[in-house]
Amino acid sequence: MRLHLRGVVLPDDEVRDLWVHDGTISFEPVRDAETLCRTGWIVPGLVDAHCHVGIRYGGGHTDRDGAVAQAEIERDAGALLLRDAGSPIDTRFIDERADLPRIIRAGRHIARPKRYIRELGIELDDERDLPRIVADQARLGDGWVKIVGDWIDRSVGDLRPLWSDAVLKEAIDAAHREGARVTAHVFGEDALPGLIEAGIDCLEHGTGLTDDTIDMMVRHGTALVPTLINIDTFPEIADSATKFPVYAAHMRDLHRRVRETVGDAHAAGVPIYAGTDAGGSIRHGRIADEIDALAGAGLSRHEALAAASWRARDWLGRPDIEAGAPADFVVYEADPRTGRDVLDAPAFVVLRGRVYPRRDPVTGHR
Ligand SMILES: [Zn+2]
């Protein structure tokens, strides 16, 4: 299929003509191309930087068909590159499907017994195994490894780190030797210094960040994926934790100040990327909501979109709208920086040069 499009191309904000043939982008005219649009905004394929394809909404894991359905929902929302932050099933077969988003995998979550959601992660009885397991997952994934940094310790009744600082350093070094980056799930304050000083590349959630740990992130160049729409479930988590009042109060406090925390990190220069945490507690296809939430936490609308598009693509080593690059982009009828309603309704999604028109919201048909 040969396509021609004219519109405002982001992030440069210039009106351009572009052509698509053989699944790639060209700025030189291509013969016999069908014109898809003459006005509009053309945005590099959106990135959901924290997503779980294969985790069923409500808990447990999906089968292959369920994973495909989730990937289709992400595609139709414009999320064409997914950083999978831990999946209990092997979704490698999705790489063979030209109609589904590209996935960058972090292997499986690495946790300790009773210290994460059951059945999702690899549980280590002995923390000294962490460096070896991290290296294994680095070899199985696509350049990322996911560690659970803290979780409720029921014997204490509050969030506690899962690992000693020394073993974290060894494990992160082991991943780096394999050429992989490491990220960690972390809600509270106490696990942060050990993770950041050990050289972790990214933090997921990061609700417990303070001025001191934000400074550490800036010094180390650590990225943050706050998953704000998932943090908005903290009050429900607290409500259901009646046996653990200290933990419940802690979760409510982390939630209460999260937009300020993210705003402070952004102002200090911490690179922030958009991730929905779609999976067990968040439905797939909500990248527009996360971009909107970031815009409510101190990022400008341009920065919030960048965090879910060109800046995130650059961070993950994927090209934007460039000659010769894969034709993965999203077309909007209005400027997607004007708000959530525009972002949530792409006119067209183009993935590998194939066009996916908007679905009718009532019938679901294209
Ligand atoms: Zn997650």
Side-chain angles (χ1 to χ4, degrees):
M1 180 182 268
R2 295 167 172 211
L3 301 171
H4 163 243
L5 301 94
R6 183 174 172 81
V8 180
V9 177
L10 294 188
D12 295 341
D13 258 306
E14 276 173 32
V15 176
R16 295 194 79 167
D17 287 278
L18 63 90
W19 287 265
V20 173
H21 70 111
D22 294 338
T24 60
I25 294 167
S26 166
F27 292 110
E28 302 296 324
V30 168
R31 264 212 275 198
D32 304 325
E34 176 196 334
T35 296
L36 194 61
C37 61
R38 293 185 193 282
T39 62
W41 273 258
I42 307 171
V43 180
L46 301 185
V47 179
D48 188 338
H50 183 139
C51 185
H52 303 276
V53 174
I55 298 182
R56 190 202 309 269
Y57 182 71
H61 58 80
T62 67
D63 57 13
R64 279 182 170 221
D65 290 347
V68 167
Q70 292 176 342
E72 286 173 340
I73 290 168
E74 294 295 352
R75 177 197 66 206
D76 292 346
L80 305 183
L81 180 61
L82 312 176
R83 176 170 163 268
D84 197 306
S87 180
I89 68 163
D90 181 0
T91 59
R92 193 61 70 183
F93 72 97
I94 286 179
D95 295 351
E96 313 298 318
R97 293 271 304 255
D99 61 326
L100 298 177
R102 295 153 201 269
I103 302 184
I104 294 175
R105 295 172 186 77
R108 293 186 64 186
H109 298 80
I110 306 173
R112 306 208 61 196
K114 301 198 167 106
R115 299 298 302 283
Y116 193 55
I117 301 164
R118 270 174 29 198
E119 294 173 14
L120 286 189
I122 299 169
E123 298 181 352
L124 307 190
D125 287 320
D126 186 341
E127 76 156 4
R128 288 171 300 181
D129 291 334
L130 184 65
R132 181 173 57 80
I133 299 297
V134 160
D136 288 349
Q137 291 300 308
R139 287 190 284 266
L140 291 170
D142 298 316
W144 283 91
V145 177
K146 172 83 176 283
I147 296 174
V148 177
D150 70 359
W151 195 251
I152 185 172
D153 180 336
R154 289 176 174 77
S155 67
V156 178
D158 200 358
L159 294 166
R160 282 286 180 271
L162 267 68
W163 318 96
S164 63
D165 292 354
V167 85
L168 281 174
K169 176 88 177 80
E170 244 185 275
I172 292 167
D173 286 348
H176 288 168
R177 277 196 299 276
E178 297 291 338
R181 290 186 270 184
V182 184
T183 193
H185 162 108
V186 57
F187 284 165
E189 296 83 353
D190 297 350
L192 287 164
L195 291 163
I196 302 166
E197 293 293 349
I200 198 150
D201 301 278
C202 182
L203 298 172
E204 310 299 312
H205 320 302
T207 38
L209 284 165
T210 59
D211 290 349
D212 284 349
T213 43
I214 287 171
D215 282 350
M216 281 183 203
M217 289 184 82
V218 172
R219 275 206 312 279
H220 286 269
T222 322
L224 175 65
V225 179
T227 70
L228 286 168
I229 60 172
N230 185 32
I231 306 311
D232 288 340
T233 68
F234 277 17
E236 285 164 49
I237 297 174
D239 287 347
S240 64
T242 46
K243 278 190 276 179
F244 304 104
V246 173
Y247 168 75
H250 196 176
M251 294 294 277
R252 285 200 181 89
D253 178 58
L254 294 170
H255 171 256
R256 196 176 305 125
R257 56 192 167 91
V258 66
R259 279 159 175 79
E260 202 183 318
T261 305
V262 170
D264 289 348
H266 175 64
V270 172
I272 291 173
Y273 301 104
T276 64
D277 211 352
S281 55
I282 297 291
R283 291 188 188 277
H284 282 270
R286 293 192 54 196
I287 191 65
D289 290 328
E290 183 64 20
I291 296 169
D292 200 52
L294 288 171
L299 280 72
S300 70
R301 290 220 166 254
H302 181 83
E303 289 165 336
L305 182 59
S309 176
W310 54 93
R311 281 197 47 245
R313 297 181 67 88
D314 183 49
W315 178 55
L316 296 170
R318 303 302 159 113
D320 293 336
I321 295 173
E322 305 163 9
D328 293 358
F329 53 79
V330 189
V331 183
Y332 300 92
E333 281 164 10
D335 189 336
R337 295 163 298 190
T338 49
R340 190 199 161 281
D341 291 348
V342 176
L343 265 173
D344 204 31
F348 301 101
V349 171
V350 178
L351 174 62
R352 296 178 175 99
R354 225 181 111 182
V355 184
Y356 299 88
R358 179 189 301 186
R359 283 176 196 266
D360 183 297
V362 178
T363 64
H365 296 138
R366 294 185 191 284

